Structures are given as structure tokens and as C-alpha cells.
Amino acid sequence: MKQTVIKIFRNIFPFLTVVFLWRLSISFWNPGGILALIPIFYCTFIRPVPWFIPFGLLFCFLIDYNLGALCYWTSIYLLCYALNGFQSFIDFTHRDFNSIDMFMLYIGIGLVIFEFTHLNWTTFARMIWIFIWMTVLYLPITRLIRGVQHDR
């Protein structure tokens, strides 16, 4: 019984992490729950979790809703999922540091495009801050997910 509960917890932990980070929406530290993109990216592209793609799509839409963006992160997520078919050329799953460089590219391109739609110095500074903050938190969050799912 105990092993079954532990196995269920390991299976649902990535989903719970996304929900927790999305609900922990604070305007300066986590605007619109954008930190939820970390486990969404990791569990979709780097260490795929079964049934995570529709869940990630739903939460990208919910992040867009909180940010007031019309399907912005949802489109970027779907675009990256489509580009993931070229993974035979670049293997994301076996890169150092849980592929933080690919995550930085994913977030960086998304934030730069978003910056051009709202061009001013305040938005630019905020996008730089969000990029740095998400990059710093990427490794601890992904290592936590990987540590909980150590048997996979």
C-alpha cells in the first residue's frame, strides 16, 4: 500500500508542481504564474511525462489568461512542440544541466517577442528580470522533479 501511494505521488508530482507554481502568482516574483513554464518545458521536452502535453497546453493557456496575452505562450509552446520533431539532430534529453540552454532559448525568444509588442523601458527591465529569475530557478525546480521521479 505504501509503495502504491509513493508511486502515485511520483507520477502526479510534475502536475502538482505546475499547479502550485501557477497558483503562486505574485506580480513581481511570478507574474501570471509564468514560473509554471519551467516544469511545463522540462516535463514536455527534456524528460517527457505521459499525458503532460495536453496538461501543459492547458496551463500555457491559463498563463496567457492571467497575463492578458491572447494565446501567446500557448502558441510558443505548440511551436516548440512542432519543432521538437527535429530532435533527431539535437538531443535535448542528454544535455548538461537539464538542458538549461534550451530553456533559456525558449524563454528568451518568447520574452523578446513579447517585449516588441509592448516596447518601453519598464517592460524591457521587467523582461530581463523575468528571464534571469526563471533561469536561476530552472535548475532547482528541475532537480526537484527529477529527484522525486528518481525511478524513471
Side-chain angles (χ1 to χ4, degrees):
M1 179 65 178
K2 181 180 175 183
Q3 293 299 328
T4 306
V5 171
I6 290 172
K7 185 177 179 182
I8 290 171
F9 179 72
R10 285 182 179 158
N11 289 336
I12 66 171
F13 187 75
F15 299 96
L16 292 176
T17 306
V18 171
V19 173
F20 174 75
L21 289 173
W22 178 73
R23 290 289 297 160
L24 190 67
S25 179
I26 302 168
S27 64
F28 182 74
W29 299 104
N30 188 12
I34 199 165
L35 289 179
L37 289 175
I38 295 171
I40 289 171
F41 177 84
Y42 181 72
C43 294
T44 301
F45 303 114
I46 308 306
R47 197 174 173 108
V49 172
W51 294 99
F52 204 83
I53 294 166
F55 185 78
L57 186 63
L58 171 68
F59 272 88
C60 283
F61 178 76
L62 292 174
I63 290 168
D64 286 334
Y65 179 77
N66 280 351
L67 290 173
L70 184 61
C71 294
Y72 181 72
W73 287 106
T74 307
S75 335
I76 291 177
Y77 178 74
L78 289 174
L79 177 67
C80 286
Y81 184 72
L83 292 175
N84 195 35
F86 295 111
Q87 194 169 353
S88 60
F89 300 111
I90 303 169
D91 188 12
F92 297 152
T93 59
H94 295 97
R95 295 177 66 91
D96 293 336
F97 304 110
N98 293 336
S99 292
I100 192 169
D101 52 349
M102 292 295 114
F103 178 72
M104 290 170 65
L105 185 67
Y106 171 72
I107 292 299
I109 290 172
L111 290 174
V112 165
I113 294 169
F114 196 73
E115 165 60 30
F116 284 120
T117 61
H118 302 90
L119 198 56
N120 63 38
W121 288 105
T122 306
T123 307
F124 179 73
R126 189 168 197 175
M127 294 301 152
I128 295 293
W129 160 248
I130 291 172
F131 178 79
I132 292 169
W133 184 237
M134 289 181 78
T135 303
V136 166
L137 290 179
Y138 180 77
L139 283 178
I141 291 172
T142 57
R143 285 188 178 155
L144 178 67
I145 293 170
R146 191 175 203 160
V148 168
Q149 294 185 318
H150 70 280
D151 63 336
R152 285 189 179 190

